[in-house]
Amino acid sequence: MIKFSRLTILPIAASMLLFACGNNEKHSDTQEPAFSINASLTDANFKMAYLSEFKDGQMVNLDSSVITDGKFSFSGKMDLPEVRYIKFNEDKKMIPLFLENSEITIEGSAALMDSVKVLGSESNNEYHAFTNDLSEYDIKQKAIVDKFYTLPENATAEEQSSLEAEYDVIEAQKISFIEDYIAKNTTKVSSAYIALRYLVGQYDVKQLEKLYNSFGEEIKPSSYVKVIEERLATIKKSMIGTPAPAFSQNDADGNPIALESFKGKFVLIDFWASWCAPCRAENPNVVAAYNKFHEKGFEVFGVSLDESKEKWLAAIEKDGLTWSHVSDLKGWGNEVAKLYGVQGIPHSVLVDREGNIVAKNLRGEELHKKLAEVLATEN
């Protein structure tokens, strides 16, 4: 099966981070520089427009404007460019844009929102030029995926592997393009946003440190660079060779279970969810490892990123997951997942008898090999 790009399957929670931490103060005549947005939309049946940001998992309205004959406006002040959205009434249609201190014009048809033009924001122009170039790789990858799904049922493993290899080649080229773009634009906030959206979730500590240090001092105060900095601090706390961050969370009956209670055993902290297809596909392998190594001192500690208690418990029963499970039912907002810097699931952390992290993201046969290795060294 073709492994879809990790760049495109980052969790919604990780993408929420991209729009956090705004500073959009109203300005007076003496406050400069400032921004102004003047919009004119045809076919607009909306009465109100709202300038909004995505913060803490939800859209927050920062300002509003009455729409008269399709025209509306906003003004204010930004410290640095940030992504904002223009919403309309309760309609789901939105206009995303990089907002910065400049004169911005928006024009087009409300009936064709995707084709609406945003003019006057240099950061917005930079970002859209980047995405236009990036789309060439996406188009190539989509063509390969389409080929994969049109393979006959009797297609050979070699035919499937060939398409997977083609996909991986484009994926490598895509990542290289993104990295090259960022390296050439280290003083632009839009570049930090691109790094956060496409690369940060898959970078290790060394890569993140290099990325963070590459940005110019003038954009270090940017909300996007700050999120990268916070991400770096978080994963440093859960690196291989460091003590696993302590936590306690409630099981389905409301009883707290602490990681500390597994001290003296090898424990796999397994981040998963009932709605996560790759997690459910990996569960039989984790069950097999549990059955094989449990008597030798191996435990699994499930941390669910579910929001529905019923679906969580149903998946536990259906998949035969007989070990301890906890969840705060906050989905991607799970406090333990945030503590461990989880950006995608399934995600696992193997902790030794002394409470130190010895491996991460072991799947399939790799999990069995690692458990055999660490348990064999004790004999």
Side-chain angles (χ1 to χ4, degrees):
M1 180 68 173
I2 287 181
K3 301 180 286 295
F4 290 94
S5 168
R6 286 180 295 174
L7 302 181
T8 60
I9 60 172
L10 291 178
I12 294 175
S15 65
M16 288 176 181
L17 292 175
L18 306 183
F19 313 107
C21 309
N23 185 353
N24 180 26
E25 301 175 357
K26 287 286 187 176
H27 76 95
S28 68
D29 292 339
T30 60
Q31 287 179 309
E32 292 293 343
F35 71 79
S36 64
I37 300 175
N38 291 290
S40 179
L41 298 178
T42 60
D43 307 313
N45 297 319
F46 313 119
K47 296 180 179 179
M48 295 291 297
Y50 301 91
L51 183 63
S52 309
E53 69 172 327
F54 212 101
K55 187 173 183 179
D56 297 330
Q58 59 184 351
M59 201 68 77
V60 178
N61 293 337
L62 304 172
D63 200 357
S64 62
S65 177
V66 175
I67 301 176
T68 304
D69 296 328
K71 294 179 172 59
F72 59 91
S73 63
F74 295 101
S75 62
K77 181 178 181 296
M78 300 292 293
D79 289 336
L80 286 169
E82 291 194 22
V83 172
R84 293 290 183 263
Y85 298 87
I86 295 177
K87 295 169 49 187
F88 303 94
N89 301 346
E90 298 303 317
D91 197 280
K92 293 182 179 179
K93 294 180 179 179
M94 292 186 292
I95 300 173
L97 73 155
F98 257 100
L99 184 58
E100 59 189 344
N101 294 324
S102 63
E103 295 183 4
I104 298 172
T105 301
I106 297 176
E107 55 187 35
S109 169
L112 300 170
M113 203 67 78
D114 290 341
S115 63
V116 169
K117 293 181 180 180
V118 178
L119 308 172
S121 167
E122 183 179 348
S123 295
N124 203 68
N125 293 341
E126 292 165 352
Y127 180 69
H128 282 283
F130 164 82
T131 56
N132 285 339
D133 290 340
L134 189 69
S135 66
E136 295 181 13
Y137 299 95
D138 294 329
I139 291 170
K140 291 177 181 178
Q141 287 185 316
K142 183 181 183 303
I144 296 171
V145 172
D146 289 344
K147 285 183 183 179
F148 184 89
Y149 284 115
T150 56
L151 284 174
E153 292 184 5
N154 61 349
T156 65
E158 287 76 18
E159 289 175 307
Q160 297 183 40
S161 296
S162 176
L163 286 176
E164 290 180 10
E166 285 184 46
Y167 188 94
D168 289 343
V169 167
I170 303 302
E171 179 75 0
Q173 293 173 350
K174 183 177 180 179
I175 293 173
S176 179
F177 167 76
I178 296 170
E179 291 176 332
D180 287 346
Y181 179 89
I182 293 168
K184 294 174 182 176
N185 296 278
T186 55
T187 62
K188 297 179 179 179
V189 172
S190 57
S191 184
Y193 173 84
I194 289 165
L196 188 55
R197 178 171 182 179
Y198 292 100
L199 298 180
V200 169
Q202 59 181 303
Y203 267 10
D204 60 22
V205 170
K206 289 184 179 180
Q207 290 172 309
L208 269 182
E209 283 184 326
K210 182 178 179 181
L211 175 66
Y212 174 76
N213 292 330
S214 73
F215 290 119
E217 291 301 318
E218 60 267 53
I219 69 166
K220 286 288 177 70
S222 161
S223 62
Y224 308 123
V225 177
K226 286 183 179 296
V227 172
I228 294 172
E229 184 180 24
E230 291 166 4
R231 166 71 178 165
L232 178 59
T234 296
I235 65 173
K236 277 186 175 181
K237 295 176 183 177
S238 59
M239 293 172 58
I240 294 174
T242 63
F247 69 87
S248 177
Q249 203 162 86
N250 290 347
D251 65 13
D253 296 320
N255 302 312
I257 302 178
L259 176 62
E260 176 69 20
S261 65
F262 296 93
K263 198 77 174 282
K265 298 182 179 180
F266 278 88
V267 57
L268 186 75
I269 307 173
D270 184 29
F271 295 92
W272 73 295
S274 66
W275 46 261
C276 169
C279 303
R280 303 294 295 274
E282 177 65 13
N283 277 345
N285 180 63
V286 181
V287 170
Y290 180 80
N291 292 337
K292 183 177 180 180
F293 296 101
H294 179 61
E295 292 184 359
K296 296 181 180 180
F298 173 60
E299 291 286 350
V300 180
F301 190 12
V303 180
S304 169
L305 276 64
D306 273 287
E307 294 182 352
S308 166
K309 182 177 180 180
E310 292 72 22
K311 292 180 180 178
W312 171 38
L313 296 181
I316 290 173
E317 182 177 1
K318 183 175 182 179
D319 292 1
L321 314 182
T322 58
W323 46 81
S324 299
H325 294 270
V326 296
S327 180
D328 56 14
L329 299 176
K330 294 181 180 179
W332 283 110
N334 184 284
E335 294 300 328
V336 181
K338 291 194 289 185
L339 176 66
Y340 277 76
V342 175
Q343 296 285 293
I345 54 176
H347 180 90
S348 62
V349 178
L350 182 62
V351 180
D352 68 13
R353 298 188 192 277
E354 288 71 43
N356 298 314
I357 297 174
V358 295
K360 299 174 75 172
N361 286 322
L362 297 169
R363 300 188 194 176
E365 190 58 30
E366 289 183 354
L367 175 59
H368 294 255
K369 288 181 179 179
K370 187 64 178 181
L371 289 173
E373 173 193 324
V374 297
L375 292 170
T377 59
E378 300 181 326
N379 298 325

